[in-house]
Amino acid sequence: MSDASHARQITNLDRLVRDAGNLPSTDFQRWLSAKRLAETWLPSFYHPKFDVIDATLVDPAQRWVRLGDVVEQFSPPAESPRGLTTAWSVDATGTSLRISATEPQTPTAGTVLLPDRAIIIQVLANGSLAVEYWDSSLYPGGGAARQELLVLTSSSSADPGWIAWELRTNEILALQLNRARMGVPHIDRSQIFRLWIPMLALNEQAQYGNTIRGMIRENHSLT
């Protein structure tokens, strides 16, 4: 997919999502086939504003895959190497995550040593995600994150920087999260792996991955 076509797709998705938000509230009547009720019987799950998700996923111009097809949850080693220290920490700050430099320190209990590259996620109370991209080449000295944060690594050749970019910017992903939260107090982690993500060619993945890495480098230069 070319940059121009990808830009057009994003514009079209933004318009569809915006228009969907202007639909009437839940006081509507519609008939649903039994096949569509296979996932849940909650009426709010089938609000017309979510029809844009189904319409987008069947568009032959773009291939979509489950997030769980391209990432896996990181499993740290049972024991940290003796004498290992970290120079960065990942902390939750309200509705966002922050990677902060620290004095070299031994990882504390309740933290996870981070791999070379990872996507770090916090599920927020409103059902959205706080997403941060970790790359040891950008944060030298190693890092650790709290155990309650979800640390994902690429399970294929997919660029984790691109995945972090999609999770931050893709309106269809945000709409899927909105629908997943309908009728439940919080989103289960397993639902995150069931999100549909647009599968791009490797060169396009690298382009968006390099964009997020460039943003991190720029932030470093400013601080």
Side-chain angles (χ1 to χ4, degrees):
M1 181 183 294
S2 66
D3 291 344
S5 62
H6 190 65
R8 283 196 301 271
Q9 182 194 42
I10 292 175
T11 301
N12 291 336
L13 292 181
D14 288 343
R15 187 185 71 253
L16 288 169
V17 173
R18 186 170 57 251
D19 292 345
N22 295 326
L23 289 168
S25 59
T26 54
D27 56 345
F28 65 93
Q29 293 183 351
R30 62 196 317 222
W31 182 87
L32 294 171
S33 68
K35 182 184 296 185
R36 292 201 64 193
L37 297 173
E39 188 160 357
T40 178
W41 284 68
L42 291 173
S44 56
F45 189 87
Y46 300 102
H47 191 285
K49 69 180 180 180
F50 299 129
D51 287 349
V52 65
I53 299 174
D54 299 323
T56 302
L57 295 181
V58 298
D59 186 349
Q62 175 64 61
R63 176 190 171 205
W64 293 74
V65 298
R66 295 287 191 181
L67 182 61
D69 293 334
V70 292
V71 301
E72 59 188 9
Q73 186 169 353
F74 174 63
S75 297
E79 295 184 6
S80 302
R82 188 184 299 270
L84 180 69
T85 61
T86 58
W88 302 86
S89 66
V90 184
D91 303 296
T93 59
T95 59
S96 64
L97 295 176
R98 180 177 61 193
I99 301 179
S100 305
T102 65
E103 292 295 325
Q105 59 185 353
T106 302
T108 59
T111 61
V112 175
L113 287 175
L114 296 172
D116 287 340
R117 298 199 300 176
I119 306 109
I120 305 170
I121 296 175
Q122 178 192 22
V123 182
L124 303 177
N126 64 359
S128 62
L129 303 179
V131 180
E132 192 58 72
Y133 173 62
W134 166 265
D135 191 318
S136 59
S137 67
L138 302 172
Y139 301 101
R146 300 296 302 178
Q147 285 183 340
E148 60 265 24
L149 299 178
L150 181 59
V151 180
L152 305 177
T153 56
S154 174
S155 60
S156 62
S157 58
D159 187 329
W162 155 70
I163 297 171
W165 176 266
E166 293 286 356
L167 290 171
R168 283 184 173 184
T169 63
N170 192 296
E171 292 287 348
I172 291 296
L173 285 173
L175 198 60
Q176 291 177 69
L177 285 165
N178 189 351
R179 183 168 67 174
R181 190 173 181 270
M182 294 294 99
V184 295
H186 65 277
I187 293 178
D188 186 85
R189 286 187 174 189
S190 63
Q191 292 173 303
I192 297 175
F193 292 92
R194 295 201 297 267
L195 293 173
W196 291 99
I197 185 171
M199 190 64 185
L200 303 184
L202 292 179
N203 62 320
E204 293 174 308
Q205 293 179 26
Q207 176 184 343
Y208 292 102
N210 289 336
T211 297
I212 199 169
R213 285 184 280 270
M215 293 168 60
I216 295 172
R217 293 188 184 96
E218 183 175 357
N219 289 336
H220 283 344
S221 67
L222 294 175
T223 55

